[in-house]
Every structure is written in C-alpha cells, then in structure tokens.
C-alpha cells in the first residue's frame, strides 16, 4: 500500500525555497535526499519565526522521530518551491508537521511533494525524550 498524506487545516506557515544545482540528481530532477533537506530548511524557518531552533525550541530541542514523503511531481533546477506547513497530532512529547511543496510552472500550480515529519521534544544534554515546554505548546497550538 502506498503512503497517502492527508493535511490537517489550516496551513500556518509558508516559505519559498529555490532549487539549487546541488539538489539535482542523475535523473535531472530534485533527489529524494534533497527533498528531506528542503523540508528541514522549511522547518528551521518555521521555528525561527519565534526565535526557536531545533536545539532550543522553548527550552528543549526537537528531534525527528519519523518521516513520510509522497512524491507527486518533479522539481528542477531553478524552480521556486512554495512549502506550506500545518501542525497536528499533539501529545505531551510530540507533534507532527505536514508539508505541501508546490511550484508554479506555465501559470499552473504543480504539486511536488506531500510530507510529514514526527517531531519529539528532546533534551540534548541528558540525551532523553522530555515533555514539550509550555512555551513551545503555546506557539504551536495557542494554548
């Protein structure tokens, strides 16, 4: 069975990322390893809006527990990718980020990737999973 990613609503963040020549693989399009890097860049920009990083997101870090990528189309060198992010599946220690990656080509929006990453609150000093800080929960979920 193939992965099917359904987006929660609403999208709460968007950013544009240009495809670099180093993102292109031997098939002439963006490689799967580069897709994860593009998602990583979008996640860092998302966190930066609150002056957070993956090492300090309201007191603790974040670590990726899992990822799922559904490829929808090809992206090429010079494409300007729009990455939209939504949040769901909050627990005391984790949440999921959903990514919709598109580009405009010939005056049409083309879906490139639908993806999800499971993020866990992590204490990098103690090397263990911890509860999310109230500050992180407030920024992500408004409560």
């Amino acid at each position: 069975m193939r992965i099917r990613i359904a987006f929660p609503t609403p999208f709460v963040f968007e950013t544009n990322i240009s495809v670099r020549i180093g993102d292109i693989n031997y098939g002439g399009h963006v490689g799967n390893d580069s897709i994860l890097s593009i998602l990583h860049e979008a996640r860092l920009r998302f966190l930066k809006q609150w002056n957070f990083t993956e090492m300090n997101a309201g007191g603790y870090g974040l670590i990726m527990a899992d990822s799922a990528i559904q490829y929808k189309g090809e992206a090429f060198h010079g494409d300007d990718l729009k990455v939209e992010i939504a949040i769901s599946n909050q627990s005391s220690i984790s949440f999921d980020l959903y990514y919709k990656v598109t580009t405009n080509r010939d005056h049409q929006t083309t879906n490139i990737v639908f993806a999800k990453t499971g993020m866990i609150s992590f204490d990098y000093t103690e090397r263990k999973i911890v509860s999310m800080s109230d500050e992180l929960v407030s920024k992500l979920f408004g409560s």
Side-chain angles (χ1 to χ4, degrees):
M1 183 167 151
R2 302 235 184 258
I3 292 172
R4 301 273 185 242
I5 295 174
F7 297 111
T9 55
F11 288 106
V12 296
F13 181 82
E14 81 175 47
T15 190
N16 292 311
I17 298 173
S18 293
V19 175
R20 305 162 304 165
I21 193 63
D23 296 325
I24 304 303
N25 67 13
Y26 59 86
H29 54 231
V30 174
N32 57 6
D33 57 332
S34 292
I35 291 295
L36 265 177
S37 291
I38 289 166
L39 300 179
H40 188 198
E41 178 66 28
R43 186 171 58 252
L44 292 177
R45 293 179 186 185
F46 170 69
L47 293 170
K48 188 175 181 180
Q49 71 182 325
W50 303 306
N51 294 316
F52 287 173
T53 67
E54 288 184 327
M55 297 304 291
N56 185 352
Y60 294 112
L62 295 171
I63 194 166
M64 188 185 335
D66 56 60
S67 62
I69 301 173
Q70 184 181 2
Y71 297 95
K72 305 296 283 180
E74 295 176 291
F76 304 100
H77 177 248
D79 278 351
D80 188 33
L81 303 178
K82 179 168 91 170
V83 183
E84 298 173 274
I85 295 178
I87 311 165
S88 187
N89 299 329
Q90 174 191 3
S91 77
S92 63
I93 61 167
S94 67
F95 59 95
D96 289 337
L97 291 178
Y98 290 80
Y99 310 79
K100 182 179 182 183
V101 182
T102 59
T103 194
N104 278 316
R105 214 177 275 133
D106 300 322
H107 307 292
Q108 289 186 348
T109 299
T110 301
N111 291 325
I112 304 300
V113 162
F114 297 167
K116 178 198 85 70
T117 57
M119 305 304 295
I120 294 180
S121 183
F122 193 76
D123 183 331
Y124 279 93
T125 302
E126 297 292 322
R127 313 303 294 181
K128 67 179 187 176
I129 295 170
V130 294
S131 293
M132 288 190 289
S133 70
D134 291 340
E135 184 180 7
L136 177 59
V137 170
S138 174
K139 297 295 187 191
L140 292 174
F141 300 100
S143 55

